[in-house]
Amino acid sequence: MPQHNPPLLNVSKIGYVGFETPDVDRMVEHYTKVLDFVLVERGANQAFLTTNFDHHAVVIERAATSRARSYVGYELREDLDFAEETLRTAGYTVDRRHDIAPSTPDVVVVAEPGSGIPIHLYDSQSGTGVSGYTPVRPTKLGHVAAFTPDLNLLQGFYQDLLGFRWSDTVGDFFVFLRCNADHHAANFLASTKREGMHHVAFEARDLNHLQTQLDHLAAHQVRLDWGPGRHGPGHNIFTYHRDPDGNTIELFTQLDLMISEDNGYFEPRPWHEDFPQVPKTWEVDLATINSWGPVEQAQLDH
Ligand SMILES: [Fe+2]
């Protein structure tokens, strides 16, 4: 769905995602030991983990049942008073919170249409002081995918209100949206049967990094559900595994980049199908889902 309206706000990146779990210790141990996240702060019921750029990219919180994508934080390099007023004028109920996390003392919170999950908008996170090369740790939180009962409503919210841009659609049910050069920071599957998170994805800097991550997973007896393969939309090399709560986690690299919005095409890569590779609607076929090989049908259930 091409964008028609000038957006009211302009989100510039995805910052963090929340995971609810009945077993915080188990999740923290997994994300620190298996994926090499750094534990930045830990309370009785909450843990903040980072890949090292922002204060946190993952928040693990105690709850009665597990739920991923319990909230998502997006960076908005605009005045938060303006954002709050704009959202209220557009008819949304808005909270202004000062207690959400140590690194984000001022957050505008609005419920995502359809899911109702809180979307956090903040202007920046403080750093962590964590630095240096490590062979395993992901570079960053890449994107969060979820089911939605009303794709058009959600596209309107993300594109027209938050300034996301349309990158691709598969068939009439799977939409990819970007908020910076990365092909997608959010993707959504239309569904009347399923709800909640589809997967959370973390970026590897290159294929060697991804291979090291996969060997590290294997050394901790974590096996892949699917991949490695290469998706059509975004052209990322993907792998999917489960965390201890059963959440589907993607590790990926080589995601398409829209280096210049003025050009309107993704940076040319030899594995592209189109030159230029522009946002488009893809057929639902094998090459779209995994140009390297087998399709896991569960990945398409919606
Ligand atoms: Fe993904």
Side-chain angles (χ1 to χ4, degrees), residues 143 184 187 199 201 236 240 250:
H143 57 271
H184 56 281
N187 37 342
H199 65 272
N236 42 316
Y240 294 92
E250 178 184 3

Coordinates of all heavy atoms in Angstrom, one line a residue, residues 143 184 187 199 201 236 240 250, ligand 1:
H143 N 13.9 -6.3 13.7 CA 12.4 -6.0 13.5 C 11.6 -6.9 14.3 O 12.1 -7.9 14.9 CB 12.1 -6.2 12.0 CG 12.4 -7.6 11.4 ND1 13.7 -7.8 10.9 CD2 11.7 -8.7 11.3 CE1 13.7 -9.1 10.4 NE2 12.5 -9.6 10.7
H184 N 12.8 -3.5 6.7 CA 11.7 -3.4 7.6 C 12.1 -3.4 9.1 O 13.1 -4.1 9.4 CB 10.7 -4.6 7.3 CG 11.2 -6.0 7.4 ND1 11.9 -6.5 6.3 CD2 11.2 -6.9 8.3 CE1 12.3 -7.7 6.6 NE2 11.9 -8.0 7.8
N187 N 6.8 -5.9 10.6 CA 6.0 -6.5 9.6 C 4.8 -7.2 10.2 O 4.9 -7.7 11.4 CB 6.9 -7.5 8.7 CG 7.9 -8.3 9.4 OD1 8.3 -7.9 10.5 ND2 8.4 -9.3 8.8
H199 N 7.4 -13.2 15.1 CA 8.8 -13.4 15.5 C 9.5 -12.1 15.8 O 9.0 -11.0 15.5 CB 9.6 -14.1 14.4 CG 9.8 -13.4 13.1 ND1 8.9 -13.4 12.1 CD2 10.8 -12.6 12.7 CE1 9.3 -12.7 11.1 NE2 10.5 -12.2 11.4
A201 N 13.4 -10.4 15.5 CA 14.6 -10.6 14.8 C 15.7 -9.7 15.2 O 15.6 -8.5 15.4 CB 14.3 -10.3 13.3
N236 N 16.8 -10.9 3.1 CA 17.7 -11.3 4.2 C 17.9 -12.8 4.2 O 17.0 -13.6 3.9 CB 17.2 -10.8 5.6 CG 15.7 -11.0 5.8 OD1 14.9 -10.7 4.8 ND2 15.3 -11.5 6.9
Y240 N 15.6 -19.3 12.0 CA 14.6 -19.2 13.0 C 14.9 -20.3 14.1 O 15.0 -21.4 13.7 CB 13.2 -19.3 12.5 CG 12.8 -18.2 11.6 CD1 13.0 -18.3 10.2 CD2 12.2 -17.0 12.1 CE1 12.6 -17.3 9.3 CE2 11.8 -16.0 11.2 CZ 12.0 -16.2 9.8 OH 11.6 -15.1 9.0
E250 N 14.4 -14.8 15.1 CA 15.1 -14.8 13.8 C 16.5 -14.2 14.0 O 16.6 -13.2 14.7 CB 14.3 -14.0 12.8 CG 15.1 -14.0 11.4 CD 14.4 -13.1 10.4 OE1 13.4 -12.5 10.7 OE2 14.9 -13.1 9.2
Ligands
FE1 FE 11.9 -11.5 10.0

